[in-house]
Amino acid sequence: MFEHTFPRNIVVLGSTGSIGTQTLDVARRHPDKVRVVGLAVNGSLDVLAAQAREFGVRRLAVGNATLATDARVRGLLIPTLEGVCASQKLPAYQASLDFGDQAVVDLIHHEDVDVVVNALVGAAGLRASYETLKAGKVLALANKESLVVGGDLIMPLAHELDAAAGFAHYLMPIDSEHGAIYQCLLGEDPAEVAKLWVTASGGPFRGRKREDLRDITPAQALAHPTWNMGAKISIDSSTLMNKGLEVIEAHHLFSMPYDRIEVVVHPQSAIHSMVEYTDGSVKAHLGTTDMRIPIQFALSYPQRWDAPVKPLDFRQLGSLDFQAPDLETFRCLALAKEAGGVGRTLPCVMNAANEVAVAAFLAEQGSYLGIAECVEAVMNAHVAGGAGGVAAVESIQQLLELDAWARREARANLR
């Protein structure tokens, strides 16, 4: 059973991405409290090598199994390494290097692991989240799809662990919005919560209408005004799909009905989210727009460590603006809320279609407005009976099979 002791041994899945590198920065700032014992990437061998050297990590995994024969592996950690194979021993670092999806999951199960930071991109993170909680480890979750696709499987595991431990801690959200709501709920009676307010910056196209977005390029959509994020999540932020995914996450994380979760556009991004209570009081979480703050809190709770960034200066903040999201222009938010409201397997289909449509747009094989059109077409096909129609979520395997069907359907509906 997990205890509130330090240092905590962490595994970082997706260590070379935005969340992963910022997690390592938190570990770098607090070496007496955070010890990195495992790193996983999809294919960034060179960056993985540098991270392993700096933190002295003994267990490494590369999700892309085809890289096992890559010439760069020979010198990944030791220039004189002879031969390449799974579980290749690297004596100078007492480390092992494995390849494939199973290798990534295997990092979770070592006895000395306390916390798993899941910063994997897309639906690939679902299995890792499930295995983390099954193994009784704390899940610091940055992978949205784990709850969007598999919330009906993930949350019961987290609730069971929390009940046995006597405190809610086994699933710590890393998202700035959900981390903010988590903190606003600390010490409060859930029965007295009237509404969750999830804030959105509005992305690079805030204020534009649908006709203004017809010829949008990937470069334009990637230019987020507030946050520095990876390509996929940046596109999701520009379409407001990201906010739709967060609404579904909030529903699962905080057991909140959809009609009590609201999205509000807040361009300054100073307020990361709010909780409204039955007596009319509202708690808002404010702070500098830097992901290291929610990452650090997920690793430090119930403690608070020294700020990893310069605190927000309210004297220089200026105004705080709010407006309702434009659901007609940004159809992805409306589609995500619809999928969440129906629930069961529809969010899985919606998410898979979005991943395919976004990837096509980034590769200039689909249009910006076509992202929502593709997602809607695949959702409609599933509701109409495709892949057996909308059904209760029963297993990881069921979701993986449905994900594969939705991706095929999405590729046939690129616009």
Side-chain angles (χ1 to χ4, degrees):
M1 190 62 64
F2 180 81
E3 298 180 357
H4 290 307
T5 58
F6 298 95
R8 287 177 178 163
N9 293 338
I10 72 169
V11 166
V12 184
L13 307 182
S15 66
T16 59
S18 175
I19 295 296
T21 55
Q22 291 179 88
T23 298
L24 293 181
D25 189 51
V26 171
R28 189 178 292 117
R29 292 166 180 270
H30 300 284
D32 58 325
K33 299 181 177 71
V34 178
R35 182 185 297 124
V36 184
V37 297
L39 297 170
V41 303
N42 183 55
S44 302
L45 295 176
D46 297 332
V47 181
L48 175 64
Q51 291 175 342
R53 291 191 187 102
E54 177 182 356
F55 291 94
V57 180
R58 296 170 176 241
R59 304 174 193 129
L60 308 174
V62 177
N64 186 347
T66 65
L67 292 177
T69 56
D70 191 293
R72 291 173 296 170
V73 173
R74 180 177 294 275
L76 181 60
L77 293 182
I78 299 178
T80 58
L81 178 64
E82 293 295 329
V84 176
C85 64
S87 300
Q88 174 66 58
K89 297 303 177 184
L90 307 172
Y93 289 93
Q94 299 290 305
S96 63
L97 172 64
D98 294 318
F99 296 85
D101 293 339
Q102 185 59 46
V104 174
V105 172
D106 285 345
L107 291 180
I108 294 166
H109 292 282
H110 291 277
E111 290 186 4
D112 62 345
V113 175
D114 299 313
V115 180
V116 175
V117 177
N118 186 352
L120 297 173
V121 176
L126 171 59
R127 184 183 172 205
S129 292
Y130 184 82
E131 292 288 339
T132 295
L133 293 172
K134 285 289 286 184
K137 317 290 186 179
V138 171
L139 173 62
L141 185 61
N143 174 263
K144 295 181 183 302
E145 290 76 11
S146 291
L147 295 181
V148 171
V149 175
D152 292 339
L153 298 176
I154 297 296
M155 292 312 301
L157 292 176
H159 292 324
E160 182 179 343
L161 289 168
D162 288 346
F167 59 92
H169 180 67
Y170 272 89
L171 203 170
M172 293 295 294
I174 283 181
D175 253 351
S176 63
E177 293 81 2
H178 301 106
I181 292 171
Y182 186 98
Q183 295 193 50
C184 288
L185 289 171
L186 288 174
E188 300 286 354
D189 183 349
E192 296 175 349
V193 175
K195 188 174 295 185
L196 305 181
W197 288 92
V198 180
T199 55
S201 70
F205 308 131
R206 177 175 55 86
R208 298 198 195 184
K209 296 301 180 182
R210 185 175 177 81
E211 281 304 311
D212 302 327
L213 304 179
R214 196 161 297 282
D215 298 317
I216 291 297
T217 67
Q220 291 172 314
L222 289 169
H224 196 279
T226 306
W227 299 99
N228 179 21
M229 306 175 291
K232 194 267 181 182
I233 194 171
S234 292
I235 301 302
D236 282 350
S237 181
S238 75
T239 65
L240 294 195
M241 174 59 86
N242 192 47
K243 212 50 52 178
L245 299 180
E246 288 173 5
V247 167
I248 298 175
E249 282 185 282
H251 162 75
H252 287 292
L253 279 169
F254 308 113
S255 301
M256 189 63 59
Y258 282 101
D259 61 1
R260 290 163 57 191
I261 305 174
E262 297 286 351
V263 173
V264 60
V265 175
H266 169 52
Q268 292 84 6
S269 297
I271 296 177
H272 299 142
S273 276
M274 302 172 282
V275 176
E276 180 181 330
Y277 293 91
T278 51
D279 65 352
S281 299
V282 178
K283 279 188 177 182
H285 181 280
L286 292 83
T288 303
T289 54
D290 192 299
M291 284 304 299
R292 286 173 293 182
I293 294 176
I295 291 170
Q296 180 169 294
F297 184 77
L299 297 178
S300 72
Y301 180 78
Q303 297 182 2
R304 292 186 185 274
W305 302 337
D306 293 341
V309 296
K310 184 178 179 180
L312 187 64
D313 188 341
F314 292 95
R315 297 165 298 182
Q316 299 178 9
L317 182 58
S319 62
L320 297 177
D321 300 315
F322 305 93
Q323 59 190 132
D326 181 350
L327 297 182
E328 183 177 341
T329 299
F330 299 97
R331 285 281 299 145
C332 282
L333 175 55
L335 290 169
K337 293 177 73 172
E338 177 186 339
V342 173
R344 299 185 290 172
T345 54
L346 191 57
C348 173
V349 165
M350 177 272 297
N351 177 76
N354 180 65
E355 287 191 18
V356 169
V358 168
F361 170 67
L362 287 169
E364 299 185 347
Q365 297 171 357
S367 69
Y368 184 76
L369 291 179
I371 295 174
E373 294 172 359
C374 176
V375 171
E376 186 168 18
V378 178
M379 285 175 58
N380 288 341
H382 188 44
V383 170
V390 179
V393 173
E394 297 176 351
S395 68
I396 294 286
Q397 185 59 36
Q398 171 208 23
L399 292 173
L400 292 176
E401 292 173 0
L402 189 55
D403 178 270
W405 171 83
R407 289 173 189 275
R408 293 192 298 270
E409 194 75 11
R411 284 189 283 270
N413 281 278
L414 294 175
R415 311 292 171 90

